[in-house]
Amino acid sequence: MVLLLLAILVGAFFWYVSDYYRAEDVALQVLAQDSGITVQDNLTILSPSSPTDTAIIFYPGAKVEAEAYLPLLDQIRQIGVTCILVDMPFHMAIFDADAADQVMTQFPEFQHWYIAGHSMGGAMASKFASDHPDQVDGLILMGAYIYGNYPDEKTLTIYGSLNQSVEDHIDYTENIVEIEGGNHAQFSNYGPQKGDLPASISAQEQQAQTVAAIEEFLQSADSQE
């Protein structure tokens, strides 16, 4: 009886995690368009045209194929920042919240590390930053809010105005960017998300405003060093 129950639970788990949001074609096309993108095991590295000492580690949202974030990260690397996308076990960052630690060890050439994430990926990125404040220069959240005790002055929080559930949990005031007409899903390219309100702006516009906010945040951090 115990073995049967265990088998049912295991089966239910794998059924749950096998139902995830796939990357749209526009996201998958990013992989084929540029030699500045490499894949190493569970990491996709997007390098800018000129060498940099700053990198962003990105945690995807829950049950979202990691490649769905490539259009956003491709734009971020064009402002001169290396982006390292982590493909999480079972597409859920909760199963490897400390992935950034291994990434930093694997790429010692970078002197400045930022950790970013969307939705649950943002929560787990926030947890890592809170647990390892000396390793992280800053935290970037999209459709998420600070989870833990990482300082808000070193955090950039970006959310769509239609994502009320995130706004309701923001109890701090530093570095908050609300994208008018944006929703929860359009920080990425995986299509509509269940329970998410339709955005009144395109994914391209939402992501362009996100990149602009990140660039300003990074420049401000540089000026304070």
Side-chain angles (χ1 to χ4, degrees):
M1 186 65 180
V2 173
L3 290 177
L4 177 60
L5 179 59
L6 180 60
I8 292 172
L9 290 174
V10 170
F13 170 78
F14 281 103
W15 173 82
Y16 175 75
V17 297
S18 67
D19 180 25
Y20 60 90
Y21 292 99
R22 268 70 171 180
E24 295 179 324
D25 288 344
V26 67
L28 297 176
Q29 289 168 3
V30 174
L31 277 175
Q33 73 180 15
D34 198 289
S35 59
I37 303 175
T38 58
V39 178
Q40 298 179 22
D41 298 322
N42 68 322
L43 305 178
T44 302
I45 301 98
L46 299 91
S47 303
S49 56
S50 300
T52 176
D53 66 351
T54 301
I56 294 174
I57 300 169
F58 192 91
Y59 286 6
K63 300 183 72 175
V64 178
E65 189 173 23
E67 287 80 2
Y69 294 89
L70 288 173
L72 173 68
L73 300 182
D74 190 38
Q75 294 176 67
I76 295 174
R77 64 101 170 234
Q78 291 174 23
I79 65 174
V81 180
T82 297
C83 295
I84 301 176
L85 171 64
V86 183
D87 189 355
M88 291 292 180
F90 306 111
H91 306 290
M92 298 182 74
I94 196 171
F95 290 118
D96 196 7
D98 288 336
D101 198 28
Q102 185 175 354
V103 173
M104 293 176 183
T105 301
Q106 190 172 343
F107 297 93
E109 64 269 29
F110 296 107
Q111 304 301 312
H112 301 284
W113 287 103
Y114 290 82
I115 185 164
H118 173 231
S119 196
M120 180 190 282
M124 293 302 99
S126 183
K127 181 180 185 302
F128 180 87
S130 297
D131 292 343
H132 306 83
D134 295 337
Q135 295 177 241
V136 177
D137 288 56
L139 173 65
I140 301 170
L141 303 175
M142 302 167 207
Y145 47 88
I146 295 175
Y147 176 81
N149 58 1
Y150 196 73
D152 55 334
E153 64 268 19
K154 296 179 67 176
T155 302
L156 172 63
T157 302
I158 312 170
Y159 70 99
S161 64
L162 299 173
N163 193 185
Q164 190 65 44
S165 61
V166 168
E167 183 176 20
D168 289 344
H169 284 89
I170 298 175
D171 57 1
Y172 48 94
T173 58
E174 294 278 347
N175 302 318
I176 297 172
V177 174
E178 179 183 16
I179 298 178
E180 187 62 36
N183 65 3
H184 188 72
Q186 285 192 163
F187 292 104
S188 184
N189 290 83
Y190 56 86
Q193 181 169 334
K194 184 179 179 181
D196 194 22
L197 292 174
S200 60
I201 61 174
S202 67
Q204 292 91 330
E205 176 60 26
Q206 183 163 338
Q207 291 171 25
Q209 291 189 41
T210 299
V211 174
I214 291 171
E215 183 174 21
E216 182 178 347
F217 176 69
L218 295 177
Q219 289 175 348
S220 176
D222 287 342
S223 67
Q224 293 175 20
E225 289 184 0

